[in-house]
Amino acid sequence: MTSRGTPSRFLRSVLQNGVGRYVCQLKRISIVFSKKAQSSLGVRDFIEEGVVDYANKNPGTVVYVSPQPCRVPKIVAEYLNGNVREETITSKTSQQISELLTKLTNQSGLEIIRIRKPFHTDSPSIQGLWHPFTNRPPSIGPIRPTKGLTKENV
Amino acid sequence: MSASMAYAGLWRTCRMLLPRHPVLSPAAIRTQSSASGDLMPWTSLSRPPWPEQPSPYSAEEERSRHAAVVSTVNQRINLRDFGRLFAVVHFAGRQWKVTGEDLILIENHIEAECGERIRMEKVLLVGAEDFTLIGRPLLGKELVRVEATVIEKTESWPKVHMRFWKRHRFQRKRIIIQPQTVLRINSIELAPRLT
């Protein structure tokens, strides 16, 4: 669908993140996988090698590892603004899963839809908004309708 | 101080441009532009629509007025007498008008982790409420400091790129997902040293 048929939002951050200190927006990560299925092979390798390093690198995120009898291994990411994102990781390698995790960590929980403007300000005007009398010296006289071509405005 | 403040309304943006070219009549400018390619071509926007009034001050008076303006601005900057500052910054191939605490979305990947502070070096213009400093084309690095934090590094929404030719049975569809970075401008600082 095009941008008119899909929802859109303005650029914003969660609770003015970055004005003071930066807070990682990822609250909780649950890795749901199966102990024996072939699709969870990469997940199992990742859990052997990379999960502990990831958890140490991101002290603000809680990592849950839950082996369950399931066909489709998933990562469920919950963010500070309450949004939940599920990504399936069937037949992915350990490297791909760690890249996916860094991508989820770097995101804020806002929806990935069309962003209307690539900027956002709370104080758009500092010197005052322009109106037709700014920078117009009063010696010129009041604004009158011009009567076509005259000597002045050739 | 009072003399320069009286003209503050007239010189709302105190430009540091001294008059380079001598003041010519419009006819002379028109003939000169064809001879030397120095001046811009003459359009309807080349001069304002009101009649041009020659400056009632002589050249020395103009120079002294300009010096007064520069000293006022210098004083303001030394006493840190300005409120909020804005800056025009060249970043990622685009120019952004930027204040403190505002957000910017860059459509590519930046080599900085989330939470790191970045300094933007190409500053073209800095302004406060009463004065503006215009760079030619950039302002010095020891004069302005614009700092930003990387907040978020995501991907864009999946954009559809479709090509279709009618009656030729040709259509291609491609989903484009671009990396995006969100920056929060933390501060714009002006150093109290102007020449």
Side-chain angles (χ1 to χ4, degrees):
Chain A
M1 291 288 279
T2 44
S3 46
R4 194 161 166 210
T6 46
S8 56
R9 64 175 173 97
F10 284 96
L11 179 64
R12 51 175 270 251
S13 66
V14 178
L15 281 183
Q16 274 88 37
N17 194 16
V19 178
R21 86 184 158 94
Y22 166 74
V23 174
C24 177
Q25 294 293 313
L26 190 55
K27 187 165 64 171
R28 198 178 302 141
I29 275 216
S30 322
I31 309 184
V32 171
F33 67 107
S34 129
K35 280 195 245 183
K36 285 195 189 157
Q38 274 307 306
S39 51
S40 322
L41 191 60
V43 194
R44 274 176 260 140
D45 291 335
F46 175 71
I47 287 176
E48 273 175 46
E49 308 156 349
V51 146
V52 184
D53 299 330
Y54 173 80
N56 287 333
K57 245 173 57 176
N58 308 69
T61 311
V62 187
V63 179
Y64 289 94
V65 166
S66 60
Q68 294 166 10
C70 67
R71 281 189 71 179
V72 164
K74 286 184 220 166
I75 289 183
V76 180
E78 293 172 56
Y79 288 93
L80 287 177
N81 61 352
N83 287 356
V84 176
R85 244 187 106 180
E86 279 193 17
E87 305 266 349
T88 59
I89 37 177
T90 43
S91 318
K92 281 203 170 145
T93 60
S94 174
Q95 166 79 15
Q96 288 169 338
I97 292 175
S98 64
E99 279 169 9
L100 176 69
L101 270 187
T102 45
K103 186 187 94 172
L104 287 174
T105 320
N106 287 338
Q107 281 176 352
S108 74
L110 302 165
E111 293 91 10
I112 301 198
I113 47 181
R114 179 177 71 99
I115 295 181
R116 286 188 180 218
K117 305 234 181 226
F119 38 80
H120 172 80
T121 333
D122 287 318
S123 37
S125 166
I126 293 182
Q127 295 183 347
L129 289 175
W130 182 89
H131 53 84
F133 296 106
T134 43
N135 293 334
R136 198 185 159 94
S139 53
I140 284 178
I143 300 176
R144 290 229 162 82
T146 55
K147 293 179 191 170
L149 274 179
T150 57
K151 267 190 221 166
E152 292 166 356
N153 49 12
V154 150
Chain B
M1 186 72 176
S2 62
S4 47
M5 286 307 284
Y7 295 100
L10 195 61
W11 289 321
R12 189 143 164 84
T13 55
C14 306
R15 301 186 58 171
M16 291 176 25
L17 251 179
L18 298 171
R20 263 201 230 150
H21 309 291
V23 176
L24 293 171
S25 66
I29 291 179
R30 250 180 253 147
T31 52
Q32 198 186 43
S33 65
S34 55
S36 69
D38 206 10
L39 300 172
M40 297 294 289
W42 184 261
T43 57
S44 66
L45 293 175
S46 297
R47 57 170 252 206
W50 50 79
E52 184 178 331
Q53 284 162 346
S55 166
Y57 314 111
S58 66
E60 289 145 8
E61 271 196 68
E62 286 262 4
R63 252 177 270 130
S64 66
R65 279 168 192 281
H66 287 143
V69 165
V70 170
S71 70
T72 324
V73 173
N74 268 334
Q75 215 175 20
R76 287 278 175 105
I77 294 177
N78 281 325
L79 300 176
R80 308 199 65 79
D81 191 12
F82 40 82
R84 188 166 258 261
L85 284 175
F86 72 93
V88 172
V89 146
H90 189 287
F91 192 74
R94 257 155 277 142
Q95 296 184 10
W96 311 82
K97 180 187 103 68
V98 139
T99 351
E101 304 160 9
D102 67 347
L103 291 171
I104 276 182
L105 180 75
I106 315 282
E107 290 272 349
N108 55 19
H109 191 70
I110 288 188
E111 294 296 325
E113 294 301 319
C114 278
E116 282 185 5
R117 238 174 135 98
I118 282 182
R119 181 193 174 176
M120 299 186 172
E121 297 189 336
K122 292 186 198 166
V123 181
L124 290 101
L125 193 148
V126 160
E129 201 197 331
D130 286 328
F131 62 89
T132 329
L133 304 179
I134 301 178
R136 289 191 195 165
L138 295 177
L139 289 171
K141 284 207 258 182
E142 58 277 342
L143 182 59
V144 202
R145 192 177 174 95
V146 179
E147 293 212 323
T149 313
V150 181
I151 289 184
E152 191 187 338
K153 289 165 73 168
T154 45
E155 293 174 339
S156 70
W157 69 296
K159 301 184 191 173
V160 175
H161 181 244
M162 180 121 185
R163 298 188 293 161
F164 175 84
W165 286 347
K166 55 186 175 184
R167 296 184 301 271
H168 287 259
R169 299 190 193 178
F170 174 78
Q171 59 179 357
R172 303 274 183 269
K173 185 171 170 183
R174 194 177 146 200
I175 310 274
I176 298 182
I177 297 184
Q178 278 171 338
Q180 286 176 339
T181 316
V182 180
L183 297 177
R184 160 92 65 189
I185 307 293
N186 289 118
S187 64
I188 301 178
E189 285 148 18
L190 204 49
R193 199 169 21 94
L194 250 189
T195 47

